[in-house]
């Protein structure tokens, strides 16, 4: 089986239909224009000396129509786009770039200093192309994106059919050790995710999506940007989430929306929420972390049913999207596996769970990644007999509707961003005052979870919480900085030295009800 160039097809079938609306710049592109500009990206890449199919093109930029042109341009050129998380500090981006080994770095103007600092530390990248989205500085080392398109031959390039298992882009996610892993996103994953979303939500070319999630995140690209473009609909692209502007659009022509719980909370707290009628909206969905029942009920009072789903970067991401009837009847349910996705709930002994029994969720289907970039051992360890281990505890009821109970791993989710305690702990242990430390996630009304650092100090080495947070802030992105800091005499450990984090989570569960220092 293979995947065809669906952007090219839409440009042929509905050339004058609006495909993209870039809210920050005010630009709008039809499918014909979008296809032409993506072709310009491909032409630029294909004519660069030394660039071959399979070369990586790293992108460090905010959401824009340019970002999607680059994604589809890489597809047409047979190159692999590396979607970089612009929230990460340079020290966090450096190992990702070393791992991906890109031949081209494209960056937005706000990240010019970061890009140049990274290039200075990567000898291979110093000799390769750099492209800036926006005006290039005179005498700078980067070419302006629009100049690159203007210099292209002007030909329309149709992507040749790609095998389902061919690599399209890389999305990096940290493992439990804190080391970033590149999740391989194939053409087949993106295709089947689009089909699964269409089956679950009924999206079509009549739909208008407002995307507020970052494109370096699978939710931004695939819930539901790529599915809507596959169906021939329209995508409104927000550079970064703004509650007031989002409410205005949701109250006008937008029909489809996905947000994380923090987004829904901020919308509900905006002065314009009470008057909003959401005239054209037909489907609301959410994921990333649990949502308070009181917030769900607040939306239900306005006639809005939020359908919860579940997925991972490794699954494309769509595994579950609850239907509206079930979402209204069973608060908190994620429903049943969508489309071609299959799941099992596996008990500790390896057997299949029955209704109401809790176990680890296993996932299988064409939306699942073949593995991690250049990490064959980690890829093999992620699967058991062809089933991807999610690391999440789940159960299903007598009707087959599923519920996520907890994350089996220590990872917690803050504002829909995964945070791995080992990564934060590695930073804490760099502080000379700290003898021992553990990081756990605690509940937070706004962000779902936030970090709490439980710290043992060395004798005679004082340390203020704000000093610890400042140290972390200089080495980690903001959402990873612990919001709470607690000093204790000792941490609970087993005789073998293993940290008993379940005891810490129980002991400090009420931290979320206290005011912590802002990271």
């Amino acid at each position: 089986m293979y995947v065809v160039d669906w952007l090219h097809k839409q440009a042929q079938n509905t050339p004058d239909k609006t495909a993209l609306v870039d809210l920050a710049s005010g630009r709008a592109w039809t499918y014909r224009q979008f296809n032409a500009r993506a072709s310009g990206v491909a032409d630029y890449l294909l004519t660069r000396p030394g660039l071959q199919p399979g070369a990586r093109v790293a992108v460090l930029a905010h959401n824009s129509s340019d970002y999607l042109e680059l994604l589809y341009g890489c597809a047409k050129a047979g190159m692999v786009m590396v979607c970089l998380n612009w929230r990460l500090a340079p020290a966090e981006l450096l190992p990702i770039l070393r791992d991906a080994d890109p031949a081209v770095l494209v960056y937005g103007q706000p990240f010019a200093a970061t890009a140049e600092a990274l290039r200075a530390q990567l000898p291979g990248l110093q000799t390769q192309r750099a492209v800036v989205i926006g005006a290039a500085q005179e005498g700078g080392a980067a070419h302006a994106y629009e100049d690159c398109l203007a210099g292209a031959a002007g030909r329309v390039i149709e992507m040749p059919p790609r095998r389902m298992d061919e690599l399209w882009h890389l999305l990096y996610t940290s493992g439990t050790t804190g080391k970033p892993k590149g999740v391989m996103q194939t053409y087949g994953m993106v295709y089947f995710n689009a089909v699964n979303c269409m089956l679950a939500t009924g999206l079509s070319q009549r739909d208008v999506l407002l995307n507020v999630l970052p494109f370096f995140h699978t939710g931004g690209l695939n819930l539901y940007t790529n599915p809507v473009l596959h169906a021939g609909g329209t995508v409104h692209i927000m550079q970064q989430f703004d509650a007031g502007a989002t409410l205005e659009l949701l109250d006008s022509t937008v029909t489809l929306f996905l947000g994380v719980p923090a987004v829904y909370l901020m919308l509900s707290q905006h002065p314009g929420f009470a008057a909003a009628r959401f005239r054209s909206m037909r489907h609301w969905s959410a994921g990333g972390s649990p949502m308070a029942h009181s917030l769900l009920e607040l939306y239900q009072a306005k006639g809005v049913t939020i359908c919860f789903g579940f997925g991972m970067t490794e699954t494309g991401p769509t595994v579950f999207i609850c239907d509206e009837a079930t979402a209204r009847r069973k608060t908190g349910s994620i429903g049943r596996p969508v489309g071609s996705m299959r799941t099992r709930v596996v008990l500790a002994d390896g057997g299949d769970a029955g209704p109401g029994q809790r176990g680890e969720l296993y996932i299988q289907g064409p939306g699942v990644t073949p593995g991690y970039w250049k990490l064959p051992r980690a890829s093999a360890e992620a699967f058991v007999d062809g089933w991807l281990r999610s690391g999440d505890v789940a159960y299903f009821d007598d009707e087959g509707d599923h519920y996520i109970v907890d994350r089996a791993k220590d990872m917690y989710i803050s504002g829909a961003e995964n945070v791995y305690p080992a990564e934060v702990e590695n930073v804490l242990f760099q502080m000379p005052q700290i003898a021992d430390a553990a990081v756990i996630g605690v509940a937070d009304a706004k962000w779902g979870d936030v970090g709490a650092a439980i710290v043992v100090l060395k004798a005679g080495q004082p340390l203020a919480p704000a000093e610890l947070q400042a140290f972390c802030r200089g080495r980690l992105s903001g959402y990873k900085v612990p919001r709470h800091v607690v000093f204790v005499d000792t941490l609970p450990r087993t005789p073998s030295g293993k940290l008993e984090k379940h005891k810490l989570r129980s002991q400090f569960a009420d931290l979320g009800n206290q005011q912590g220092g802002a990271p």
Side-chain angles (χ1 to χ4, degrees):
M1 295 181 66
Y2 57 87
V3 173
V4 300
D5 190 338
W6 61 72
L7 172 57
H8 187 78
K9 275 185 166 290
Q10 295 297 350
Q12 290 180 316
N13 297 337
T14 56
D16 298 322
K17 173 77 179 293
T18 299
L20 306 175
V21 178
D22 189 317
L23 297 171
S25 67
R27 298 182 301 181
W29 301 127
T30 65
Y31 273 98
R32 179 194 288 115
Q33 292 169 321
F34 180 18
N35 192 44
R37 289 176 65 83
S39 295
V41 171
D43 187 79
Y44 172 81
L45 294 174
L46 290 168
T47 55
R48 294 310 95 192
L51 281 190
Q52 301 295 327
R56 271 76 64 204
V57 178
V59 180
L60 179 67
H62 287 134
N63 287 8
S64 70
S65 56
D66 299 328
Y67 203 108
L68 295 176
E69 293 163 12
L70 287 159
L71 179 68
Y72 282 84
C74 283
K76 290 174 181 290
M79 297 183 190
V80 178
M81 184 155 152
V82 183
C83 307
L84 297 175
N85 183 341
W86 48 260
R87 292 177 177 174
L88 298 181
E92 296 169 299
L93 288 168
L94 191 59
I96 292 174
L97 287 170
R98 284 178 173 150
D99 185 65
D101 189 23
V104 179
L105 175 63
V106 183
Y107 58 89
Q109 228 172 9
F111 307 106
T114 297
E116 290 308 311
L118 291 168
R119 292 184 75 206
Q121 298 184 68
L122 295 168
L125 199 55
Q126 292 173 21
T127 61
Q128 302 294 347
R129 289 278 173 180
V131 177
V132 59
I133 297 174
Q137 294 182 348
E138 187 174 347
H143 297 265
Y145 178 73
E146 291 297 332
D147 289 346
C148 294
L149 293 189
R155 56 183 174 139
V156 173
I157 298 175
E158 180 180 5
M159 180 189 81
R162 303 286 186 205
R163 296 191 320 273
M164 289 283 182
D165 62 353
E166 284 190 68
L167 179 60
W168 185 356
H169 54 284
L170 291 172
L171 298 176
Y172 274 81
T173 179
S174 294
T176 54
T177 63
K179 181 180 179 180
K181 294 184 291 187
V183 181
M184 295 190 284
Q185 308 285 311
T186 66
Y187 289 93
M189 288 175 66
V190 180
Y191 170 81
F192 276 102
N193 180 76
V195 172
N196 291 336
C197 289
M198 291 175 196
L199 292 172
T201 68
L203 69 83
S204 72
Q205 64 178 355
R206 295 183 296 275
D207 274 309
V208 178
L209 169 72
L210 172 61
N211 181 78
V212 301
L213 301 180
F215 285 148
F216 62 73
H217 196 290
T218 186
L221 281 184
N222 296 311
L223 290 171
Y224 298 93
T225 296
N226 276 322
V228 168
L229 294 173
H230 197 166
T234 300
V235 179
H236 287 255
I237 304 162
M238 188 167 284
Q239 186 179 84
Q240 295 187 68
F241 172 70
D242 177 271
T246 297
L247 275 175
E248 287 183 16
L249 286 161
L250 293 176
D251 203 24
S252 57
T253 59
V254 172
T255 67
L256 190 68
F257 182 73
L258 176 128
V260 297
V263 163
Y264 279 106
L265 177 62
M266 286 184 270
L267 290 176
S268 72
Q269 294 173 340
H270 191 275
F273 181 77
R277 293 294 176 263
F278 310 122
R279 297 169 180 83
S280 300
M281 280 296 301
R282 68 165 193 84
H283 191 273
W284 305 75
S285 56
S289 60
M291 187 182 293
H293 285 191
S294 59
L295 185 57
L296 288 169
E297 291 166 358
L298 179 64
Y299 277 88
Q300 287 172 353
K302 292 180 68 69
V304 173
T305 299
I306 299 174
C307 299
F308 255 81
F310 171 87
M312 306 164 60
T313 305
E314 289 89 341
T315 62
T318 311
V319 181
F320 293 89
I321 301 176
C322 195
D323 64 274
E324 286 192 28
T326 302
R328 286 191 290 268
R329 191 163 55 95
K330 301 178 180 181
T331 302
S333 175
I334 56 173
R336 304 178 187 186
V338 302
S340 55
M341 303 303 288
R342 303 171 63 212
T343 62
R344 297 167 57 202
V345 176
V346 179
L347 301 173
D349 62 6
D352 286 330
Q357 291 184 295
R358 299 183 178 191
E360 184 177 359
L361 184 70
Y362 282 35
I363 303 163
Q364 189 178 74
V368 175
T369 182
Y372 302 105
W373 174 253
K374 296 195 297 188
L375 292 172
R377 178 177 294 182
S379 299
E381 291 172 350
F383 292 86
V384 175
D385 297 328
W387 292 84
L388 175 72
R389 298 187 61 176
S390 73
D392 289 88
V393 177
Y395 71 93
F396 56 88
D397 61 23
D398 291 334
E399 296 180 313
D401 293 307
H402 287 64
Y403 301 78
I404 299 296
V405 178
D406 198 1
R407 291 169 289 279
K409 302 172 185 177
D410 292 328
M411 179 268 291
Y412 61 92
I413 299 175
S414 185
E417 293 290 344
N418 292 352
V419 183
Y420 292 86
E423 184 181 8
V424 185
E425 290 161 1
N426 287 338
V427 171
L428 293 180
F429 281 119
Q430 296 175 28
M431 300 194 73
Q433 303 97 321
I434 291 178
D436 203 357
V439 174
I440 59 173
V442 296
D444 183 84
K446 181 175 183 180
W447 299 112
D449 286 326
V450 294
I454 317 301
V455 176
V456 178
L457 294 178
K458 294 177 182 177
Q461 296 284 324
L463 179 67
E467 186 180 357
L468 180 148
Q469 290 168 331
F471 184 87
C472 291
R473 198 176 300 117
R475 293 158 178 81
L476 296 167
S477 40
Y479 63 87
K480 298 179 184 177
V481 177
R483 186 172 295 270
H484 304 278
V485 180
V486 179
F487 298 106
V488 296
D489 293 330
T490 186
L491 295 178
R493 293 185 181 275
T494 65
S496 64
K498 184 178 179 181
L499 190 63
E500 296 179 299
K501 283 196 173 181
H502 65 283
K503 292 184 178 179
L504 292 177
R505 282 191 285 266
S506 176
Q507 181 180 354
F508 296 105
D510 290 337
L511 273 179
N513 299 322
Q514 304 172 20
Q515 175 122 18

